[in-house]
């Protein structure tokens, strides 16, 4: 309760000061409406709209610029007076991609000074602490923004949740190895600076969320794509233990391969270059050679846009970008290995994918598509992935690639954790917004986002139909209930059965909308069993 008393004290002191100085009524009204929250760094003034209080652009770490580039996040500087928190901060440094599923709004230009977060809570403060949800955006670890309108937390706040979103470093700012960095701090955390930021944001929540009415002992992390991969990384990281109490991974894989064996300093499986080797190659491409302190100083002096280069979602597999790696402290092994070992953080877990999710394949013929299954399973694969015999090569290739990358790994984690006694709820999102049906005959990667956040207007505007709205309300309700209790079920919603390996049941968000959404035995069992054999 300390934060609430301090917040009230600060508000009272400021009101007194404004009154003594002849302050305007609007400022007094603002404070009287409890728009000031006191956190460790100082008091914040948020804004109220339609029953929701929001606080935006809050520094949770010092700007990682200059000598702090490629260092673990440091504590933010404190401030005096009341800091305005009505606007988003900068996005983290990146090359924007117009095709991003959640594009950033105008006015959040990328910058290295980007380690900020945002909080939404109900306008009415009650003595009861509220559950907290912490959102981790996707974007292939090269794009992404907590300021995307689709990620607005208002609908969660209206349901009695404190919603937190934050930025984390991307691209070569977020994932970078170099021998000079290792020499500078041989025993420290290295390489996965993006994950360090995520952990720092969660620690900030533990220290400060009570100032917003949140319960630090009831925190749910959730994320999609790279954000879902991050959830699984945090689930399997010893340094994240105790920082959250429930987790939701949307299209985040879960098997080995999300961190594809990349090591910080050692060559990985099949000769995969270490992150340090990748970093040396990148440095050389910009004329920086050597592995000593002067080389590191030269790298830190490079303009930020030179570090970004052409890296974004269009070329995320750039050989001079290491992406996530096994660093030995935050990421100690591939997630699949840790899930299997029983050493993951055992918290209630929700997981799923869309029915036309993301996957990558170089196959160009049916023979190449089915080759991984071998001759013995060719006929079974044809029956599973092309049951009517009318699908094109590209359709079959997409199904296999999606199942391998997203769909089967979600089932794998469901099977693995549920067998260890962890409550698991699996879903498959198959609903397509009415405005997108002429373009897509299934739910594409990330298409569930405006339904989960119930922000359909931000994505589809006036094209939103009542059926769309009902499906969004249902999805948001499930996510909120899970955050509150660890169980997504509630009165008036179709029952979502906990995952059980024997029944292999998941909740399908039906193509026909909320009224047809049900828990059903997975119709893709034969497909996924074939994929499972490949692992």
């Amino acid at each position: 309760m300390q934060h609430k008393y301090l917040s009230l004290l600060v508000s009272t002191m400021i009101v007194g000061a404004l009154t003594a100085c002849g302050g305007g009524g609007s400022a007094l009204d603002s404070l009287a409406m409890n728009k000031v929250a006191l956190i460790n760094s100082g008091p914040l003034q948020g804004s109220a709209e339609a029953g929701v209080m929001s606080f935006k652009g809050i520094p949770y770490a010092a700007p990682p610029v200059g000598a702090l580039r490629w260092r673990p996040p440091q504590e933010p500087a404190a401030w005096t007076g009341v800091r305005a928190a009505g606007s988003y901060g900068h996005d983290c440094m990146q090359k924007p991609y117009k095709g991003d599923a959640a594009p950033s709004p105008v006015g959040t230009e990328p910058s290295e000074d980007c380690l900020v977060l945002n909080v939404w809570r109900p306008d009415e403060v009650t003595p009861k602490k509220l559950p907290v949800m912490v959102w981790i955006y996707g974007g292939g670890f090269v794009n992404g923004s907590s300021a995307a309108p689709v990620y607005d937390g208002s609908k969660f706040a209206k349901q009695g949740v404190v919603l937190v979103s934050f930025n984390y470093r991307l691209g070569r700012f977020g994932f970078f190895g170099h021998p000079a960095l290792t020499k500078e701090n041989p025993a420290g955390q290295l390489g996965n600076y993006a994950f360090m930021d995520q952990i720092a944001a969660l620690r900030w929540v533990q220290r400060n969320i009570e100032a917003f009415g949140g319960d630090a002992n009831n925190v749910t992390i959730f994320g999609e794509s790279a954000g879902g991969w991050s959830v699984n990384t945090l689930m399997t990281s010893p340094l994240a233990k105790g920082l959250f109490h429930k987790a939701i991974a949307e299209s985040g894989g879960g098997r080995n391969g999300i961190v594809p064996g990349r090591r910080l300093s050692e060559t990985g499986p099949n000769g995969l270059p270490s992150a340090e080797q990748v970093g040396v190659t990148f440095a050389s491409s910009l004329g920086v050679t050597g592995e000593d302190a002067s080389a590191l100083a030269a790298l830190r002096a490079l303009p930020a846009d030179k570090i970004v280069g052409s890296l974004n979602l269009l070329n995320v597999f750039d050989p001079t970008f290491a992406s996530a790696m096994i660093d030995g402290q935050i990421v100690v092994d591939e997630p699949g290995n840790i899930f299997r070992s029983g050493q993951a953080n055992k918290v209630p877990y929700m997981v799923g994918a869309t029915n036309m999710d993301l996957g990558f394949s170089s196959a160009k013929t049916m023979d190449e598509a089915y080759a991984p299954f071998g001759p013995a399973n060719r006929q079974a694969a044809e029956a599973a992935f092309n049951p009517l015999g009318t699908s094109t090569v590209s359709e079959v290739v997409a199904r296999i690639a999606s199942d391998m990358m997203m769909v089967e790994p979600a089932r794998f984690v469901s099977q693995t954790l549920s067998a260890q006694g962890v409550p698991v709820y699996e879903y498959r999102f198959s609903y397509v917004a009415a405005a997108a049906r002429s373009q897509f005959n299934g739910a594409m990667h990330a298409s569930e986002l405006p339904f989960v956040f119930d922000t359909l207007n931000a994505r589809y505007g006036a094209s939103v139909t009542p059926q769309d709205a009902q499906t969004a309300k249902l999805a948001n309700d499930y996510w909120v209930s899970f955050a509150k209790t660890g169980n997504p079920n509630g009165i008036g919603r179709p029952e979502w059965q906990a995952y059980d390996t024997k029944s292999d049941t998941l909740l399908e968000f039906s193509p026909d909308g909320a009224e047809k959404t049900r828990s059903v035995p997975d119709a893709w069992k034969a497909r996924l069993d074939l994929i499972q054999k490949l692992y």
Side-chain angles (χ1 to χ4, degrees), residues 45-114:
Q45 181 164 1
S47 58
E49 183 178 358
V52 173
M53 281 291 302
S54 63
F55 301 79
K56 298 172 181 174
I58 308 167
Y60 70 87
V65 300
L68 295 185
R69 181 187 282 177
W70 300 311
R71 288 185 188 272
Q74 305 297 306
E75 287 295 315
W79 55 82
T80 57
V82 180
R83 180 187 179 108
S87 301
Y88 290 109
H90 289 287
D91 290 347
C92 283
M93 200 65 198
Q94 60 190 282
K95 181 179 180 180
Y97 174 62
K98 291 183 180 180
D100 197 324
S104 182
V106 175
T108 52
E109 288 78 10
S111 167
E112 280 190 88
D113 181 0
C114 64

Side-chain angles (χ1 to χ4, degrees), residues 279-338:
V280 167
T281 300
F282 172 72
S284 297
S285 74
L286 295 181
V288 177
T289 59
E291 301 179 357
D292 56 9
S294 62
L296 182 53
L299 283 168
R300 285 187 169 134
L302 288 170
D305 61 347
K306 295 292 185 182
I307 303 293
V308 175
S310 61
L311 188 63
N312 68 5
L313 278 168
L314 283 176
N315 59 351
V316 69
F317 297 113
D318 187 315
T320 63
F321 173 50
S323 196
M325 68 200 75
I326 297 171
D327 63 82
Q329 295 191 46
I330 301 171
V331 183
V332 296
D333 198 352
E334 296 226 38
N337 292 339
I338 297 177

Side-chain angles (χ1 to χ4, degrees), residues 190-469:
L190 296 162
N192 288 312
Y193 301 100
F195 295 146
M196 297 179 208
D197 294 344
Q198 293 174 11
I199 291 171
L202 291 174
R203 288 174 175 160
W204 184 97
V205 168
Q206 288 297 307
R207 294 193 303 269
N208 293 291
I209 206 62
E210 188 176 336
F212 304 92
D215 185 354
N217 294 312
N218 188 6
V219 176
T220 299
I221 58 173
F222 70 129
E224 185 271 340
S225 195
W229 302 345
S230 297
V231 166
N232 285 329
T233 297
L234 295 169
M235 283 279 289
T236 56
S237 174
L239 296 187
K241 191 173 182 64
L243 296 179
F244 59 93
H245 312 94
K246 292 176 283 292
I248 306 172
E250 304 173 32
S251 299
R255 278 196 180 271
N256 293 352
I258 299 303
V259 180
R262 177 91 69 192
R263 268 67 172 171
L264 172 64
S265 301
E266 301 172 353
T267 300
N270 302 316
L272 187 69
S274 70
E276 289 184 357
Q277 291 172 299
V278 173
V280 167
T281 300
F282 172 72
S284 297
S285 74
L286 295 181
V288 177
T289 59
E291 301 179 357
D292 56 9
S294 62
L296 182 53
L299 283 168
R300 285 187 169 134
L302 288 170
D305 61 347
K306 295 292 185 182
I307 303 293
V308 175
S310 61
L311 188 63
N312 68 5
L313 278 168
L314 283 176
N315 59 351
V316 69
F317 297 113
D318 187 315
T320 63
F321 173 50
S323 196
M325 68 200 75
I326 297 171
D327 63 82
Q329 295 191 46
I330 301 171
V331 183
V332 296
D333 198 352
E334 296 226 38
N337 292 339
I338 297 177
F339 281 128
R340 275 193 299 266
S341 72
Q343 297 176 8
N345 292 310
K346 289 184 171 59
V347 299
Y349 179 78
M350 183 192 293
V351 61
T354 64
N355 74 338
M356 288 184 64
D357 218 313
L358 186 66
F360 300 99
S361 174
S362 60
K364 295 180 176 58
T365 67
M366 288 293 191
D367 286 342
E368 291 176 352
Y370 292 128
F373 302 104
N377 291 311
R378 170 67 182 256
Q379 187 173 356
E382 290 176 343
F385 292 99
N386 190 7
L388 300 179
T390 57
S391 298
T392 65
V393 172
S394 61
E395 289 171 338
V396 171
V397 168
R399 287 170 194 152
I400 295 172
S402 171
D403 284 3
M404 289 190 68
M405 186 171 187
M406 297 296 184
V407 182
E408 193 281 336
R411 188 184 74 163
F412 157 74
V413 185
S414 298
Q415 291 176 335
T416 303
L417 291 182
S418 64
Q420 297 168 7
V422 175
V424 177
Y425 295 87
E426 186 183 2
Y427 72 87
R428 183 162 305 132
F429 195 87
S430 302
Y431 184 80
V432 180
R437 289 173 194 166
S438 62
Q439 188 177 2
F440 304 110
N441 60 1
M444 303 300 289
H445 183 68
S447 63
E448 87 282 6
L449 292 174
F451 292 90
V452 168
F453 280 82
D454 199 359
T455 51
L456 288 172
N457 289 338
R459 177 68 177 84
Y460 299 108
S463 299
V464 176
T465 68
Q467 187 184 61
D468 293 341

Side-chain angles (χ1 to χ4, degrees), residues 127-143:
K128 183 179 180 181
K129 295 180 183 178
L130 301 176
V132 180
M133 298 185 75
V134 180
W135 171 248
I136 308 174
Y137 56 70
F141 292 130
V142 293
N143 287 115

